[in-house]
Amino acid sequence: MEAAIAQRVQYPSWVDCRKFEGKPLGSLRYSQRVKEEKRFRGLIALAHLQPDRRYDQGRRLVSSEVSCSDNNSSALLEAGSVHPFDEDLILKAKEVRPYLNGRSMYLVGMMGSGKTTVGKLMSKVLGYSFFDCDTLIEEAMNGTSVAEIFEHHGESFFRGKETDALKKLSSMYQLVVSTGGGAVIRPINWKYMNKGVSIWLDVPLEALAHRIAAVGTDSRPLLHDESGDAYTVAFKRLSTIWDERGEAYTNANARVSLESIAVKLGYKDVSDLTPTEIAIEAFEQVQSFLEKEETVEIPDGDL
Protein backbone atom coordinates (compact mmCIF):
# COMPACT_ATOMS: atom_id res chain seq x y z
CA MET A 1 0.00 0.00 0.00
CA GLU A 2 2.87 2.40 0.83
CA ALA A 3 4.43 1.82 -2.59
CA ALA A 4 1.13 2.42 -4.37
CA ILE A 5 0.62 5.69 -2.52
CA ALA A 6 4.17 6.90 -3.07
CA GLN A 7 4.07 6.08 -6.77
CA ARG A 8 0.82 7.91 -7.41
CA VAL A 9 1.43 11.11 -5.42
CA GLN A 10 2.62 13.94 -7.62
CA TYR A 11 2.79 17.37 -6.05
CA PRO A 12 1.84 20.21 -8.42
CA SER A 13 4.68 22.43 -9.55
CA TRP A 14 3.16 25.65 -8.22
CA VAL A 15 3.19 24.56 -4.56
CA ASP A 16 6.32 25.15 -2.52
CA CYS A 17 6.21 22.16 -0.17
CA ARG A 18 8.96 23.65 2.00
CA LYS A 19 6.46 25.98 3.62
CA PHE A 20 4.77 22.94 5.18
CA GLU A 21 7.92 21.48 6.78
CA GLY A 22 7.77 21.20 10.53
CA LYS A 23 4.14 22.30 10.73
CA PRO A 24 1.58 20.00 12.32
CA LEU A 25 -1.29 19.35 9.95
CA GLY A 26 -3.96 20.21 12.50
CA SER A 27 -2.59 23.66 13.26
CA LEU A 28 -1.87 25.19 9.84
CA ARG A 29 -2.97 28.82 9.59
CA TYR A 30 -3.67 31.06 6.66
CA SER A 31 -1.78 34.32 7.16
CA GLN A 32 -3.51 37.68 7.06
CA ARG A 33 -1.05 38.88 4.42
CA VAL A 34 -1.96 36.09 2.03
CA LYS A 35 -5.64 36.66 2.78
CA GLU A 36 -5.37 40.32 1.83
CA GLU A 37 -3.43 39.49 -1.32
CA LYS A 38 -6.17 37.05 -2.31
CA ARG A 39 -8.85 39.68 -1.84
CA PHE A 40 -7.10 42.12 -4.17
CA ARG A 41 -6.10 39.62 -6.84
CA GLY A 42 -9.72 39.06 -7.78
CA LEU A 43 -10.48 36.93 -10.79
CA ILE A 44 -8.15 34.29 -12.20
CA ALA A 45 -6.20 35.16 -15.31
CA LEU A 46 -7.37 32.39 -17.62
CA ALA A 47 -5.08 31.84 -20.56
CA HIS A 48 -5.28 29.66 -23.64
CA LEU A 49 -8.91 28.71 -23.10
CA GLN A 50 -10.23 26.46 -25.82
CA PRO A 51 -13.96 27.20 -26.15
CA ASP A 52 -16.32 24.26 -26.21
CA ARG A 53 -19.51 24.24 -28.27
CA ARG A 54 -21.47 22.96 -25.27
CA TYR A 55 -23.19 25.27 -22.81
CA ASP A 56 -24.51 24.68 -19.30
CA GLN A 57 -27.17 27.01 -17.90
CA GLY A 58 -25.69 29.85 -19.95
CA ARG A 59 -22.17 29.35 -18.60
CA ARG A 60 -19.42 28.64 -21.09
CA LEU A 61 -17.70 25.31 -20.61
CA VAL A 62 -14.06 24.83 -21.52
CA SER A 63 -12.43 21.92 -23.23
CA SER A 64 -10.39 19.22 -21.55
CA GLU A 65 -7.19 21.29 -21.57
CA VAL A 66 -7.12 24.51 -19.61
CA SER A 67 -4.12 26.64 -18.79
CA CYS A 68 -4.73 28.28 -15.43
CA SER A 69 -2.21 30.87 -14.25
CA ASP A 70 -1.59 33.41 -11.51
CA ASN A 71 1.22 35.83 -10.63
CA ASN A 72 3.51 33.13 -9.27
CA SER A 73 3.01 30.05 -11.42
CA SER A 74 0.89 28.13 -13.91
CA ALA A 75 -0.20 24.56 -14.44
CA LEU A 76 -2.03 22.54 -17.04
CA LEU A 77 -5.27 21.07 -15.79
CA GLU A 78 -6.39 17.98 -17.64
CA ALA A 79 -10.06 17.14 -17.28
CA GLY A 80 -9.72 13.78 -19.01
CA SER A 81 -13.00 11.92 -19.13
CA VAL A 82 -14.31 13.04 -15.74
CA HIS A 83 -16.11 16.26 -16.66
CA PRO A 84 -15.21 19.44 -18.52
CA PHE A 85 -14.12 22.30 -16.29
CA ASP A 86 -16.02 25.54 -16.35
CA GLU A 87 -14.75 28.94 -15.29
CA ASP A 88 -16.75 28.96 -12.05
CA LEU A 89 -15.11 25.73 -10.92
CA ILE A 90 -11.62 27.01 -11.70
CA LEU A 91 -12.37 30.24 -9.85
CA LYS A 92 -13.64 28.39 -6.77
CA ALA A 93 -10.53 26.20 -6.74
CA LYS A 94 -8.37 29.29 -7.00
CA GLU A 95 -10.20 30.92 -4.10
CA VAL A 96 -10.07 27.97 -1.74
CA ARG A 97 -6.50 26.82 -2.41
CA PRO A 98 -4.76 29.42 -0.19
CA TYR A 99 -7.14 28.65 2.67
CA LEU A 100 -6.29 24.94 2.41
CA ASN A 101 -2.59 25.72 2.78
CA GLY A 102 -1.77 22.24 1.51
CA ARG A 103 -4.19 20.35 3.73
CA SER A 104 -5.81 17.27 2.25
CA MET A 105 -9.55 16.78 1.81
CA TYR A 106 -11.47 13.64 2.74
CA LEU A 107 -14.84 12.95 1.13
CA VAL A 108 -17.28 10.95 3.25
CA GLY A 109 -20.81 9.83 2.52
CA MET A 110 -23.08 6.88 1.88
CA MET A 111 -22.31 4.36 -0.84
CA GLY A 112 -23.21 5.74 -4.25
CA SER A 113 -22.98 9.38 -3.14
CA GLY A 114 -20.46 10.26 -5.86
CA LYS A 115 -17.35 10.63 -3.71
CA THR A 116 -15.02 9.23 -6.36
CA THR A 117 -16.45 11.20 -9.29
CA VAL A 118 -16.55 14.52 -7.43
CA GLY A 119 -13.22 13.83 -5.72
CA LYS A 120 -11.41 13.26 -9.00
CA LEU A 121 -12.80 16.48 -10.38
CA MET A 122 -11.78 18.47 -7.29
CA SER A 123 -8.28 17.00 -7.28
CA LYS A 124 -7.70 17.76 -10.94
CA VAL A 125 -8.73 21.40 -10.75
CA LEU A 126 -6.67 21.90 -7.56
CA GLY A 127 -3.65 20.01 -8.87
CA TYR A 128 -3.90 17.59 -5.92
CA SER A 129 -3.39 13.82 -6.03
CA PHE A 130 -6.52 11.66 -5.78
CA PHE A 131 -6.88 8.42 -3.85
CA ASP A 132 -9.79 6.05 -3.42
CA CYS A 133 -9.46 4.09 -0.16
CA ASP A 134 -11.26 1.04 -1.54
CA THR A 135 -8.88 0.91 -4.50
CA LEU A 136 -5.84 1.19 -2.22
CA ILE A 137 -7.11 -1.70 -0.12
CA GLU A 138 -7.75 -3.83 -3.22
CA GLU A 139 -4.22 -3.10 -4.45
CA ALA A 140 -2.77 -4.02 -1.06
CA MET A 141 -4.71 -7.31 -1.25
CA ASN A 142 -3.24 -8.16 -4.68
CA GLY A 143 -6.33 -7.12 -6.61
CA THR A 144 -8.90 -8.81 -4.38
CA SER A 145 -12.14 -6.84 -4.70
CA VAL A 146 -13.87 -5.23 -1.72
CA ALA A 147 -16.78 -7.65 -2.14
CA GLU A 148 -14.38 -10.61 -2.02
CA ILE A 149 -12.60 -9.20 1.03
CA PHE A 150 -15.93 -8.95 2.84
CA GLU A 151 -16.85 -12.49 1.79
CA HIS A 152 -13.57 -14.20 2.71
CA HIS A 153 -12.24 -12.06 5.57
CA GLY A 154 -15.24 -10.23 7.01
CA GLU A 155 -16.11 -6.57 7.50
CA SER A 156 -13.91 -6.15 10.60
CA PHE A 157 -10.81 -7.16 8.60
CA PHE A 158 -11.74 -4.71 5.85
CA ARG A 159 -12.27 -1.86 8.34
CA GLY A 160 -8.80 -2.50 9.75
CA LYS A 161 -7.28 -2.18 6.28
CA GLU A 162 -9.31 0.99 5.76
CA THR A 163 -7.88 2.51 8.93
CA ASP A 164 -4.36 1.55 7.84
CA ALA A 165 -4.91 3.35 4.53
CA LEU A 166 -6.23 6.51 6.19
CA LYS A 167 -3.33 6.52 8.64
CA LYS A 168 -0.81 6.49 5.80
CA LEU A 169 -2.68 9.09 3.76
CA SER A 170 -3.04 11.42 6.75
CA SER A 171 0.73 11.90 6.91
CA MET A 172 0.71 13.48 3.44
CA TYR A 173 -0.35 16.80 1.95
CA GLN A 174 -2.32 17.95 -1.09
CA LEU A 175 -4.58 14.93 -1.51
CA VAL A 176 -8.26 14.45 -2.20
CA VAL A 177 -9.35 11.14 -0.69
CA SER A 178 -12.57 9.23 -1.36
CA THR A 179 -13.36 7.14 1.71
CA GLY A 180 -15.58 4.08 2.01
CA GLY A 181 -19.14 4.62 3.15
CA GLY A 182 -18.45 3.02 6.53
CA ALA A 183 -15.18 4.82 7.30
CA VAL A 184 -17.05 7.23 9.56
CA ILE A 185 -18.04 4.59 12.12
CA ARG A 186 -14.53 4.20 13.59
CA PRO A 187 -13.44 7.14 15.81
CA ILE A 188 -9.77 6.48 14.96
CA ASN A 189 -10.53 7.27 11.33
CA TRP A 190 -11.74 10.74 12.29
CA LYS A 191 -8.43 11.30 14.07
CA TYR A 192 -6.66 10.83 10.77
CA MET A 193 -9.19 12.68 8.61
CA ASN A 194 -9.16 15.65 10.98
CA LYS A 195 -5.56 16.29 9.95
CA GLY A 196 -7.16 17.58 6.78
CA VAL A 197 -10.68 18.78 5.95
CA SER A 198 -13.57 16.32 5.83
CA ILE A 199 -16.48 16.87 3.45
CA TRP A 200 -19.80 15.05 3.67
CA LEU A 201 -21.68 14.51 0.41
CA ASP A 202 -25.25 14.37 1.69
CA VAL A 203 -27.47 12.66 -0.89
CA PRO A 204 -31.14 11.69 -0.29
CA LEU A 205 -31.63 7.96 0.23
CA GLU A 206 -34.15 7.79 -2.62
CA ALA A 207 -31.57 9.12 -5.06
CA LEU A 208 -28.93 6.72 -3.75
CA ALA A 209 -31.29 3.77 -4.12
CA HIS A 210 -32.06 4.71 -7.74
CA ARG A 211 -28.35 5.03 -8.55
CA ILE A 212 -27.44 1.70 -7.00
CA ALA A 213 -30.42 -0.11 -8.52
CA ALA A 214 -29.42 1.19 -11.96
CA VAL A 215 -25.88 -0.20 -11.80
CA GLY A 216 -26.49 -3.30 -9.68
CA THR A 217 -25.26 -4.41 -6.28
CA ASP A 218 -22.46 -6.79 -7.26
CA SER A 219 -19.80 -4.39 -5.95
CA ARG A 220 -21.81 -3.50 -2.82
CA PRO A 221 -21.13 -6.27 -0.26
CA LEU A 222 -23.61 -4.85 2.25
CA LEU A 223 -26.42 -5.02 -0.32
CA HIS A 224 -25.58 -7.94 -2.57
CA ASP A 225 -27.11 -10.74 -0.48
CA GLU A 226 -30.60 -9.25 -0.51
CA SER A 227 -33.24 -10.46 -2.98
CA GLY A 228 -36.22 -8.73 -4.55
CA ASP A 229 -36.84 -5.55 -6.55
CA ALA A 230 -33.53 -3.74 -6.90
CA TYR A 231 -34.77 -0.30 -5.85
CA THR A 232 -36.83 -1.58 -2.91
CA VAL A 233 -33.97 -3.73 -1.64
CA ALA A 234 -31.46 -0.90 -2.00
CA PHE A 235 -33.68 1.66 -0.27
CA LYS A 236 -34.51 -0.68 2.63
CA ARG A 237 -30.89 -1.58 3.26
CA LEU A 238 -29.68 1.98 2.84
CA SER A 239 -32.24 3.11 5.41
CA THR A 240 -30.86 0.60 7.91
CA ILE A 241 -27.28 1.67 7.20
CA TRP A 242 -28.29 5.31 7.56
CA ASP A 243 -29.75 4.62 10.99
CA GLU A 244 -26.37 3.17 12.00
CA ARG A 245 -24.13 5.83 10.44
CA GLY A 246 -26.17 8.98 9.88
CA GLU A 247 -25.05 10.77 13.02
CA ALA A 248 -21.40 9.94 12.33
CA TYR A 249 -21.48 11.79 9.00
CA THR A 250 -22.33 15.00 10.84
CA ASN A 251 -18.79 14.99 12.29
CA ALA A 252 -17.51 16.21 8.93
CA ASN A 253 -16.13 19.73 8.76
CA ALA A 254 -18.24 20.64 5.74
CA ARG A 255 -21.61 19.38 4.51
CA VAL A 256 -22.59 19.41 0.84
CA SER A 257 -26.36 18.92 0.62
CA LEU A 258 -27.44 17.95 -2.88
CA GLU A 259 -31.01 18.91 -2.03
CA SER A 260 -29.87 22.43 -1.13
CA ILE A 261 -27.85 22.76 -4.34
CA ALA A 262 -30.83 21.62 -6.43
CA VAL A 263 -33.10 24.17 -4.78
CA LYS A 264 -30.55 26.94 -5.25
CA LEU A 265 -30.14 26.15 -8.95
CA GLY A 266 -33.86 25.59 -9.58
CA TYR A 267 -33.64 21.87 -10.34
CA LYS A 268 -36.56 19.57 -9.58
CA ASP A 269 -34.38 16.57 -8.78
CA VAL A 270 -30.88 16.07 -7.41
CA SER A 271 -30.19 13.71 -10.30
CA ASP A 272 -30.07 16.79 -12.55
CA LEU A 273 -26.96 18.07 -10.78
CA THR A 274 -23.61 17.78 -12.54
CA PRO A 275 -20.36 16.78 -10.78
CA THR A 276 -19.08 20.29 -11.48
CA GLU A 277 -21.98 21.91 -9.63
CA ILE A 278 -21.43 19.60 -6.66
CA ALA A 279 -17.68 20.29 -6.67
CA ILE A 280 -18.29 24.05 -6.70
CA GLU A 281 -20.56 23.75 -3.65
CA ALA A 282 -17.94 21.57 -1.93
CA PHE A 283 -15.28 24.24 -2.44
CA GLU A 284 -17.65 26.90 -1.12
CA GLN A 285 -18.43 24.90 2.02
CA VAL A 286 -14.76 24.10 2.62
CA GLN A 287 -13.82 27.77 2.28
CA SER A 288 -16.61 28.75 4.67
CA PHE A 289 -15.35 26.24 7.25
CA LEU A 290 -11.73 27.36 6.94
CA GLU A 291 -12.68 31.05 7.19
CA LYS A 292 -14.54 30.33 10.43
CA GLU A 293 -11.64 28.24 11.70
CA GLU A 294 -9.22 31.07 10.95
CA THR A 295 -11.38 33.60 12.79
CA VAL A 296 -11.39 31.38 15.89
CA GLU A 297 -7.65 30.58 15.76
CA ILE A 298 -6.22 34.05 15.14
CA PRO A 299 -6.89 36.63 17.91
CA ASP A 300 -7.60 40.20 16.84
CA GLY A 301 -4.33 41.36 18.37
CA ASP A 302 -2.37 39.18 15.98
CA LEU A 303 -3.83 40.72 12.84
Side-chain angles (χ1 to χ4, degrees):
M1 186 179 294
E2 294 94 331
I5 293 174
Q7 183 178 13
R8 288 162 56 187
V9 171
Q10 296 181 348
Y11 290 107
S13 60
W14 69 73
V15 177
D16 184 357
C17 295
R18 293 172 298 176
K19 70 181 179 180
F20 303 126
E21 292 178 358
K23 294 185 178 182
L25 279 167
S27 61
L28 291 173
R29 292 183 177 179
Y30 177 57
S31 70
Q32 182 68 13
R33 178 184 62 80
V34 175
K35 184 176 180 180
E36 291 302 322
E37 288 178 357
K38 184 188 78 65
R39 287 174 177 169
F40 285 103
R41 273 204 304 264
L43 297 174
I44 304 171
L46 295 172
H48 304 105
L49 287 178
Q50 300 297 323
D52 196 313
R53 293 179 181 274
R54 293 165 293 180
Y55 289 80
D56 180 18
Q57 300 273 322
R59 296 179 302 178
R60 180 166 61 87
L61 299 179
V62 297
S63 65
S64 60
E65 289 194 352
V66 180
S67 177
C68 175
S69 63
D70 59 20
N71 292 333
N72 300 318
S73 56
S74 63
L76 185 67
L77 306 176
E78 298 179 355
S81 60
V82 179
H83 200 270
F85 297 149
D86 69 10
E87 295 179 21
D88 287 345
L89 178 59
I90 296 172
L91 178 59
K92 289 300 178 184
K94 175 69 173 179
E95 289 176 344
V96 78
R97 199 170 69 202
Y99 284 94
L100 283 168
N101 206 9
R103 292 165 70 173
S104 296
M105 292 186 287
Y106 297 84
L107 296 175
V108 302
M110 294 279 284
M111 63 178 77
S113 58
K115 299 183 293 291
T116 296
T117 300
V118 175
K120 285 181 177 179
L121 186 58
M122 294 173 68
S123 68
K124 284 181 178 292
V125 76
L126 279 172
Y128 278 23
S129 297
F130 174 80
F131 286 95
D132 182 295
C133 275
D134 286 355
T135 300
L136 285 177
I137 295 168
E138 290 175 339
E139 291 174 355
M141 295 291 291
N142 298 316
T144 304
S145 70
V146 171
E148 291 172 329
I149 295 172
F150 267 73
E151 180 181 356
H152 298 296
H153 302 280
E155 182 175 359
S156 180
F157 177 86
F158 174 82
R159 297 301 172 199
K161 292 293 184 182
E162 187 172 55
T163 296
D164 290 342
L166 288 170
K167 180 179 180 180
K168 293 177 175 66
L169 292 169
S170 71
S171 66
M172 307 172 75
Y173 297 91
Q174 301 171 346
L175 309 179
V176 176
V177 179
S178 171
T179 68
V184 297
I185 62 178
R186 298 186 105 190
I188 187 65
N189 291 344
W190 286 107
K191 173 186 174 181
Y192 299 132
M193 291 190 289
N194 283 338
K195 293 183 178 181
V197 180
S198 53
I199 308 162
W200 170 28
L201 297 187
D202 183 8
V203 184
L205 295 185
E206 295 85 353
L208 292 176
H210 279 298
R211 290 181 185 179
I212 293 172
V215 299
T217 60
D218 290 352
S219 62
R220 309 288 182 182
L222 295 180
L223 300 179
H224 188 50
D225 291 336
E226 300 283 346
S227 60
D229 171 71
Y231 172 80
T232 302
V233 168
F235 182 79
K236 181 180 178 181
R237 186 66 181 116
L238 287 169
S239 298
T240 300
I241 294 173
W242 172 257
D243 290 340
E244 298 169 353
R245 302 175 182 171
E247 186 174 352
Y249 289 124
T250 64
N251 291 322
N253 300 132
R255 173 179 175 243
V256 178
S257 168
L258 269 66
E259 283 187 316
S260 296
I261 306 173
V263 170
K264 181 167 60 175
L265 297 179
Y267 294 158
K268 294 181 179 180
D269 195 287
V270 297
S271 62
D272 295 328
L273 293 171
T274 67
T276 293
E277 288 162 340
I278 298 170
I280 289 172
E281 180 70 13
F283 282 141
E284 289 179 350
Q285 294 301 323
V286 167
Q287 182 173 340
S288 177
F289 164 73
L290 293 175
E291 286 176 337
K292 292 176 182 176
E293 182 184 63
E294 177 190 334
T295 301
V296 171
E297 288 188 357
I298 303 179
D300 292 340
D302 293 343
L303 298 179

